[in-house]
Amino acid sequence: MLLEASHLSATYAGVPALHDVSFGIEQGQIVALIGSNGAGKTTTLRTISGLLRPERGEIRFRGVRLDREPAHLIAEMGIAHVPEGRKLFSRLTVRQNLLVGSYTKQARAREQEAMERAFAIFPRLRERADQRAGTLSGGEQQMVAIARGLMLQPTLLMLDEPSLGIAPKLVDEIFATVREIARAGTTILLVEQNVRESLELADHAYVLQTGSTITHGTGAELLASDLVRRAYLGI
């Protein structure tokens, strides 16, 4: 396993959010976490990236325990977190926002190479490189957020709701880009409100309910699951 989370429990804003979350990610996979609002998906990502400390359980990355490490060291280990809502610096240009992503010593040494890769994946950002991020459309801002995560040159890229607030015509483009990033060798952990799209994209997926992992399987297996079809696909 590239990353393995075992029996995680955590509290967010004083409220118990995770009770027993376990899952694993193999190198090169796209793994999706699905569940309703409040299931603990975002809290799980925040716990992996070190923004929250688990009360119980552990997380191992390449066999090394990381749940006791600070967020900046977790990033240096090769884990990038693209948060829900994008969290861009609206007054900085696209280029400046991307450079923020290459803040580790290893990433800074190859930041021009990483920026060229980001512009190759998102050609529109090259055209907008000197434009303030706050003036971009929602879809373009999401491109900047993902590209900023890639500037870290991560082994694992965690994406939290990448299609949220994006015009429908751009959603397919974002998902196609996620698939392209994975094919190029970056492992993906995806949290996404669009369950069908997530499962069609994912190699493996885990279902979270009220802070616990309740089932898992390949994307195709969960698409065919009566539980998932009734609860999340309205079938």
Side-chain angles (χ1 to χ4, degrees):
M1 288 290 177
L2 176 67
L3 182 139
E4 189 168 13
S6 302
H7 306 293
L8 294 181
S9 295
T11 297
Y12 181 60
V15 178
L18 304 182
H19 306 287
D20 187 13
V21 171
S22 298
F23 63 93
I25 308 171
E26 295 182 11
Q27 180 78 43
Q29 284 188 323
I30 299 176
V31 171
L33 301 180
I34 67 171
S36 58
N37 289 338
K41 305 183 300 297
T42 292
T43 302
T44 298
L45 298 194
R46 290 174 62 86
T47 303
I48 293 169
S49 63
L51 299 176
L52 289 176
R53 187 79 66 189
E55 297 172 349
R56 290 185 300 277
E58 63 179 49
I59 305 166
R60 291 187 179 273
F61 183 66
R62 290 176 162 169
V64 177
R65 189 165 180 179
L66 60 72
D67 52 89
R68 297 171 180 172
E69 300 294 341
H72 70 279
L73 289 183
I74 291 172
E76 289 179 3
M77 293 171 70
I79 299 177
H81 183 179
V82 180
E84 179 182 354
R86 300 182 279 274
K87 305 295 191 295
L88 300 182
F89 296 96
S90 61
R91 294 189 177 185
L92 298 185
T93 67
V94 168
R95 190 187 309 276
Q96 289 168 332
N97 269 277
L98 296 189
L99 289 173
V100 169
S102 60
Y103 67 90
T104 67
K105 182 178 180 180
Q106 181 178 358
R108 282 198 303 272
R110 299 173 59 190
E111 67 183 12
Q112 289 307 312
E113 176 186 339
M115 187 169 294
E116 282 303 312
R117 181 193 177 204
F119 286 155
I121 293 171
F122 298 108
R124 201 170 312 179
L125 297 188
R126 189 188 299 275
E127 301 170 6
R128 307 281 197 273
D130 297 316
Q131 186 172 331
R132 287 188 178 183
T135 65
L136 302 177
S137 70
E140 290 168 341
Q141 289 185 13
Q142 187 61 62
M143 293 176 191
V144 176
I146 295 173
R148 183 178 61 186
L150 290 173
M151 289 293 292
L152 188 67
Q153 301 172 63
T155 302
L156 174 64
L157 179 66
M158 302 194 300
L159 302 173
D160 194 354
E161 302 286 7
S163 76
L164 187 65
I166 293 178
K169 65 180 181 180
L170 287 178
V171 170
D172 288 343
E173 183 178 339
I174 291 292
F175 278 110
T177 300
V178 171
R179 184 179 288 109
E180 179 184 342
I181 292 168
R183 285 175 178 166
T186 302
T187 304
I188 305 287
L189 178 57
L190 175 67
V191 165
E192 171 55 48
Q193 61 179 343
N194 191 323
V195 172
R196 182 178 295 279
E197 290 277 9
S198 296
L199 295 180
E200 289 177 349
L201 187 66
D203 299 297
H204 207 87
Y206 293 81
V207 181
L208 272 57
Q209 187 176 87
T210 59
S212 299
T213 305
I214 61 170
T215 191
H216 67 94
T218 66
E221 288 169 346
L222 292 185
L223 276 171
S225 160
D226 288 340
L227 168 66
V228 171
R229 289 161 65 87
R230 287 196 305 269
Y232 307 110
L233 300 179
I235 299 175

